[in-house]
Amino acid sequence: MRIQENVSLRDHSTMRLGGEAHYLAEIKNIRDLQEAYSWAAGNHLPVIMIGRGSNIIWRDEGFGGLVMVNKIMGREVLAEDNHSATLKIAAGENWDEAVKWSVDKKLSGIEYMSLIPGTVGAAPVQNVGAYGGELAYTLLELEAFDARLNAFLKLQNHECGFSYRSSRFKTADRGRFFISSITLNLRKAPPAPPFYESLQRYLDEHGIDKYTAKTIREAVIDIRQNKLPDPEKVSNNGSFFTNPIVEAAKFEELKRAYPQIKGWPVADGRIKIAAGWLVEQAGFKGVHDQQTGMATWPNQALVLVNENAQSTQNLLAFRQKILDKVQQMFGIPLEQEPEILP
Ligand SMILES: Cc1cc2nc3c(=O)[nH]c(=O)nc-3n(C[C@H](O)[C@H](O)[C@H](O)COP(=O)(O)OP(=O)(O)OC[C@H]3O[C@@H](n4cnc5c(N)ncnc54)[C@H](O)[C@@H]3O)c2cc1C
């Protein structure tokens, strides 16, 4: 394992902004992980583990510690019966390639999350989800290095604190666990309706009535490719704000003022509002902001794009314009999805 010094972090975030890492190492196996961590601990340096950088933005000041880039590879089928298969996938694998691998095996459960950028190891951190699926529905357990106990351990699904786009890895235990693999249990039965509304609409419009993991994956890929920019070509972090959840009374009040507002009930009776709609109504659809070099994606205003921003400061200034306008119009404070590091 090689520890590099003064490495630009721009290529380690798909927003392509931010300063330098004092130290950076590619972690290719468990031994690298232990060695790198011990080296940093011995030098009293903070450590961050990342994957592809599709959900992070680096500050202009950079990071004064060690960035560990997870490149641990490997996939295996651990067990199989007539109904399901148990797959173990190393954290550095590309998430979408892992989805394809499972779909090629005619297994169902994660096809709804096709084409989500990034690595397998980051998927539990925000409990990745899309089109009605989320990682927590199929994850059995994961393996991680626990920096507090200085040991590798396994965490079962119920120990991960999963919720909507969140987990203990993103909240109470942020930075404590370095995930090295995940284990999923996927079904052999094909996916069955009811499907997520926009997915079902796509299936109907395209006359697809044979539901398999493959047909669902292809549908999701087509929908996503039409709506979202490819982060390898266009600098962005996907949805920049999460969908806010408001009390039913607040939603009714908004509906009187904005009859077109889009919302859907969640389990506790509150209403989740489409953040993209709020941003669009606030006048930020397809905007190119000359002052900051930032833009919003024409097909999805929720995606902030770095066209020619000079710094993370530019991005934060553009973000503030959106936050202020949405707050002023709707009285809703939007929450940011990608994490600003450190
Ligand atoms: C165009 C686009 C579309 C997207 N669509 C979706 C979507 O539909 N649904 C969705 O949920 N997300 C979506 N995202 C967000 C992103 O793809 C996911 O959050 C993904 O899991 C991030 O993976 P990554 O490897 O890039 O993680 P990074 O951005 O590198 O890291 C994200 C976080 O995880 C931590 N982390 C990473 N790897 C590890 C590890 N091995 N151990 C411990 N901590 C780790 C990092 O420290 C950081 O806190 C989208 C992003 C883009 C750019």
Side-chain angles (χ1 to χ4, degrees), residues 12 14 48-56 70 91 115-123 125-130 165 169 174 177-180 224 228-231 236-239 337 339 341:
H12 293 283
T14 54
I48 293 180
M49 176 164 274
I50 61 163
R52 173 62 194 97
S54 47
N55 214 23
I56 55 178
N70 197 310
L115 218 62
I116 294 181
T119 56
V120 162
V125 176
Q126 81 150 358
N127 181 21
V128 290
R165 297 293 181 278
F169 313 113
R174 185 170 175 255
F177 295 101
F178 307 127
I179 298 166
S180 54
R224 292 184 71 102
L228 296 168
D230 175 355
N236 80 97
N237 282 126
S239 301
E337 186 182 305
E339 195 182 344
L341 289 177

Side-chain angles (χ1 to χ4, degrees), residues 8-14 16-17 50 52-53 58:
S8 167
L9 285 165
R10 287 180 175 229
D11 291 334
H12 293 283
S13 156
T14 54
R16 295 180 184 84
L17 291 171
I50 61 163
R52 173 62 194 97
W58 296 101

Side-chain angles (χ1 to χ4, degrees), residues 3 11 46 52 54 104 116 127 145 169 180 192 197 233 253 260 266 285:
I3 295 180
D11 291 334
R52 173 62 194 97
S54 47
D104 286 347
I116 294 181
N127 181 21
F145 181 79
F169 313 113
S180 54
E197 196 186 319
K233 297 182 186 140
E253 177 197 318
Q260 306 298 323
V266 291
K285 189 180 165 113

